[in-house]
Amino acid sequence: MVSSKRYGALTSGGKDSSYALYLALKKGVDVTKLIAIRPEREDSYMYHAYNLHLLELYSKACEIPLIMEESSGIKEEELEDLKRAILKAEVDGIITGAIASEYQASRIKRICSELGIEMLAPLWHRDEEQLIREMASAMEILVVHVAAEGLDQSWLGRRIDDAAINDLLKLRIHVAGEGGEYETLVIDAPFFKKRINTVSYTHLTLPTKRIV
């Protein structure tokens, strides 16, 4: 029996949120909205600042309406912006691509509890290497931003496949990029109706420190 509940998928256009959405759809979850937050600060604790200019295109590719809200990006204050977006989406639950960030997951869970809705986190505490290999097998994922030792401009636009994953493992960074080592864009997935074609890659940040 398919649930009549409607869900919103928190999305950045990257691999984690996209794969969480894919797994939910495979289980018959009714996803009626994509939900994204545009932070004013690139060092937001909760939200990614990359790919946001492409989310309208992402929304059209998978034919799921997008709700985008602005946020100050200020720690803790930015949670109210997410709550506002969820209320606007009029959903009974939220799908998140959180893998290991206790900070993000706990706050999304708290917001869902306050609103009386469910939280689905299909990637939570999965083995990161197994998970990213599954993602690479199911979706076409490109690196669009790098911020760790060993990741240089040659990685921009590179597809995440087994060879790329093996190279990431050799660098001894978090292979799934949970510490902000790299950011991705999904340009094709099983739930896409149209593929996104890319022309150029412009985001490059060389080694920085980021707190998760």
Side-chain angles (χ1 to χ4, degrees):
M1 181 177 179
V2 178
S3 173
S4 61
K5 292 183 178 180
R6 300 170 299 176
Y7 283 77
L10 302 182
T11 186
S12 66
K15 59 179 176 51
D16 301 345
S17 57
S18 296
Y19 197 58
L21 170 57
Y22 170 55
L23 294 180
L25 291 170
K26 277 186 68 177
K27 289 188 174 182
V29 174
D30 183 16
V31 182
T32 58
K33 293 289 191 303
L34 301 177
I35 300 172
I37 304 294
R38 187 193 306 275
E40 293 178 1
R41 299 161 55 105
E42 288 192 1
D43 61 349
S44 164
Y45 278 69
M46 284 291 296
Y47 314 120
H48 295 286
Y50 306 99
N51 296 334
L52 297 180
H53 62 297
L54 296 173
L55 284 183
E56 288 288 353
L57 191 59
Y58 183 98
S59 172
K60 291 178 181 178
C62 61
E63 296 184 358
I64 302 175
L66 171 69
I67 289 180
M68 175 89 76
E69 285 290 314
E70 303 292 326
S71 173
S72 65
I74 298 173
K75 187 178 180 181
E76 300 300 340
E77 291 182 19
E78 60 189 357
L79 301 180
E80 290 302 314
D81 304 315
L82 176 57
K83 187 184 293 186
R84 185 174 67 252
I86 293 173
L87 286 170
K88 187 177 290 187
E90 299 181 327
V91 292
D92 305 299
I94 290 298
I95 301 160
T96 172
I99 299 174
S101 173
E102 296 286 349
Y103 180 90
Q104 293 178 344
S106 65
R107 280 149 181 81
I108 295 170
K109 185 176 182 179
R110 187 176 78 198
I111 290 172
C112 288
S113 178
E114 291 173 358
L115 296 177
I117 63 176
E118 297 180 359
M119 183 182 85
L120 298 181
L123 314 186
W124 187 241
H125 284 179
R126 289 280 309 278
D127 177 82
E128 62 266 23
E129 182 181 346
Q130 180 184 5
L131 182 58
I132 194 171
R133 290 192 189 278
E134 287 180 14
M135 292 179 183
S137 176
M139 307 183 297
E140 189 168 351
I141 308 164
L142 300 183
V143 176
V144 294
H145 171 88
V146 295
E149 293 284 357
L151 297 178
D152 58 21
Q153 193 163 358
S154 68
W155 279 83
L156 292 181
R158 182 173 179 180
R159 180 171 178 171
I160 296 292
D161 54 16
D162 282 337
I165 293 168
N166 291 339
D167 286 343
L168 290 170
L169 289 169
K170 292 174 186 176
L171 293 173
R172 297 186 178 182
I173 62 175
H174 194 293
V175 69
E178 271 290 283
E181 293 89 348
Y182 65 94
E183 305 290 349
T184 60
L185 171 68
V186 171
I187 62 173
D188 202 8
F191 57 90
F192 275 28
K193 312 302 182 187
K194 299 177 182 177
R195 183 180 185 277
I196 298 174
N197 291 322
T198 55
V199 177
S200 64
Y201 316 99
T202 58
H203 290 299
L204 173 64
T205 302
L206 292 174
T208 59
K209 293 182 179 179
R210 177 176 174 179
I211 299 174
V212 177

